[in-house]
Amino acid sequence: MAEGNWTRVSEFILISFSSLPTEIQSLLFLTFLVIYLVTLLGNSLIILVTLADPMLHSPMYFFLRNLSFLEIGFNLVIVPKMLGTLIAQDTTISFLGCATQMYFFFFFGVSECFLLATMAYDRYVAICSPLHYPVIMKPRTRAKLAAFSWFPGIPMATVQTTWLFSFPFCGINKVNHFFCDSPPVLRLVCADTTLFEIYAIIGTILVVMIPCLLILCSYTRITAAILKIPSAKGKHKAFSTCSSHLLVVSLFYVSLSLTYFRPKSNNSPESKKVLSLCYTVVTPMLNPIIYSLRNSEVKNALGRTFHKAMGVRTAFCRHFEV
């Protein structure tokens, strides 16, 4: 298309949930605000407790701390702007702001896929090679694995975001979503995007499938090892160390797959918004809750940290009373 036939877009309008009545939008604002605060508080507690309590300095909690960092970043990228569109009707986002939001959305999303695979490998080593676990998962190794988990998000986010935003955009600038995701932004491009779409499909499949296959391989070996344990108590103990991670993986991958791998005929913008809420808003809130409620070590550490904090507070108050 000739340059004279299109107008350069300087900002986008996020349609978000604007089609809903104002009362419903206000209710959604309060709901998402509570979820947002719980997410920040829960993941921050996980980070603080796993750092403060010596009992939680094992590799599993090192990776859990990385997951909590990631979930906080994921939420900060998506939720504040969504809350603004609901309560203040601030639906505009600048061209650069949209590109930045998309970049970090891809970065955190890809990183989470690989981090969940790394956490599955950690459980595989812990259960299948318990005697060699401290040697294999030494601090330097776990740092390398964490870096490996975070790194793939950088090239994926850089290529996809810069390529998409290098296309010309026509006069229509309404993004039918609550954040700048690739498919709704791509619909506003007035150029041939066939090559980009092929790359995006292949990239998405690889980013989802490679970690997913690694997780499946890890849990296949874990299941085989657990079945060889003679006592029922031993089997239950081994499985309990994996149950939280399995639940988190299931929530993340099911919502992600339903969002991006459903047939287009069944993939309306409104249903995609609802599914997107699952892995961008709900799952980051549930992760610290799952790891806290289903893990006695985390619960005990939270109790110890709370009592320690209360003891410091009491001593501080007594000092000033004297």
Side-chain angles (χ1 to χ4, degrees):
M1 186 176 287
E3 188 173 345
N5 293 337
W6 55 269
T7 304
R8 182 173 178 81
V9 171
S10 60
E11 64 179 20
F12 294 96
I13 297 173
L14 296 172
I15 293 179
S16 189
F17 302 99
S18 58
S19 60
L20 297 174
T22 306
E23 296 80 8
I24 301 297
Q25 290 189 54
S26 299
L27 182 61
L28 287 177
F29 169 79
L30 292 173
T31 303
F32 294 146
L33 178 61
V34 171
I35 291 174
Y36 178 58
L37 295 175
V38 170
T39 301
L40 294 182
L41 178 62
N43 284 289
S44 297
L45 277 175
I46 291 290
I47 293 169
L48 292 173
V49 169
T50 55
L51 282 172
D53 197 302
M55 299 293 290
L56 300 184
H57 286 180
S58 66
M60 183 175 79
Y61 297 108
F62 170 78
F63 294 122
L64 177 58
R65 185 160 62 246
N66 274 263
L67 181 64
S68 290
F69 271 117
L70 195 151
E71 299 291 26
I72 289 173
F74 210 63
N75 247 235
L76 290 174
V77 169
I78 304 294
V79 181
K81 183 60 185 176
M82 181 179 67
L83 293 175
T85 62
L86 287 169
I87 193 63
Q89 300 299 311
D90 179 19
T91 57
T92 60
I93 185 170
S94 67
F95 187 89
L96 180 60
C98 188
T100 302
Q101 187 183 55
M102 185 181 292
Y103 176 89
F104 283 104
F105 167 72
F106 284 137
F107 170 70
F108 287 120
V110 172
S111 299
E112 180 157 358
C113 289
F114 282 92
L115 183 59
L116 290 173
T118 300
M119 294 173 78
Y121 173 72
D122 170 71
R123 292 297 83 211
Y124 157 71
V125 176
I127 292 173
C128 298
S129 304
L131 297 178
H132 298 98
Y133 181 61
V135 178
I136 295 173
M137 300 301 290
K138 56 188 177 182
R140 188 174 179 180
T141 304
R142 71 179 82 155
K144 287 181 179 179
L145 286 170
F148 165 78
S149 302
W150 286 84
F151 176 75
I154 298 174
M156 182 71 180
T158 301
V159 172
Q160 191 148 333
T161 305
T162 53
W163 192 354
L164 177 52
F165 282 88
S166 67
F167 285 120
F169 290 88
C170 301
I172 299 174
N173 65 341
K174 293 183 178 180
V175 179
N176 193 6
H177 213 327
F178 57 85
F179 71 99
C180 288
D181 196 6
S182 179
V185 173
L186 188 64
R187 294 191 189 100
L188 308 181
V189 171
C190 49
D192 183 11
T193 60
T194 305
L195 192 60
F196 173 83
E197 290 182 57
I198 293 171
Y199 160 79
I201 291 170
I202 294 173
T204 303
I205 291 173
L206 289 176
V207 162
V208 173
M209 291 305 297
I210 291 175
C212 190
L213 288 173
L214 291 172
I215 292 169
L216 286 173
C217 288
S218 296
Y219 275 104
T220 300
R221 300 292 297 272
I222 287 170
T223 303
I226 290 176
L227 291 175
K228 291 178 182 178
I229 298 174
S231 67
K233 186 178 179 181
K235 288 179 181 178
H236 180 267
K237 185 178 179 181
F239 180 75
S240 65
T241 64
C242 306
S243 58
S244 297
H245 179 256
L246 268 174
L247 188 54
V248 167
V249 167
S250 301
L251 286 171
F252 181 76
Y253 272 100
V254 168
S255 57
L256 195 68
S257 300
L258 288 174
T259 304
Y260 292 103
F261 295 108
R262 286 199 310 164
K264 286 189 176 181
S265 58
N266 299 330
N267 204 10
S268 68
E270 300 308 315
S271 65
K272 187 171 182 179
K273 289 177 191 177
V274 174
L275 290 170
S276 296
L277 285 170
C278 293
Y279 67 88
T280 58
V281 179
V282 179
T283 302
M285 176 196 68
L286 292 177
N287 287 352
I289 296 174
I290 291 169
Y291 273 99
S292 298
L293 295 179
R294 298 183 64 86
N295 191 308
S296 59
E297 289 182 341
V298 174
K299 285 190 287 187
N300 293 336
L302 283 169
R304 287 193 297 269
T305 304
F306 176 76
H307 288 305
K308 190 183 295 184
M310 291 301 294
V312 171
R313 180 179 177 276
T314 302
F316 184 77
C317 292
R318 286 176 180 173
H319 174 76
F320 277 94
E321 285 174 4
V322 174

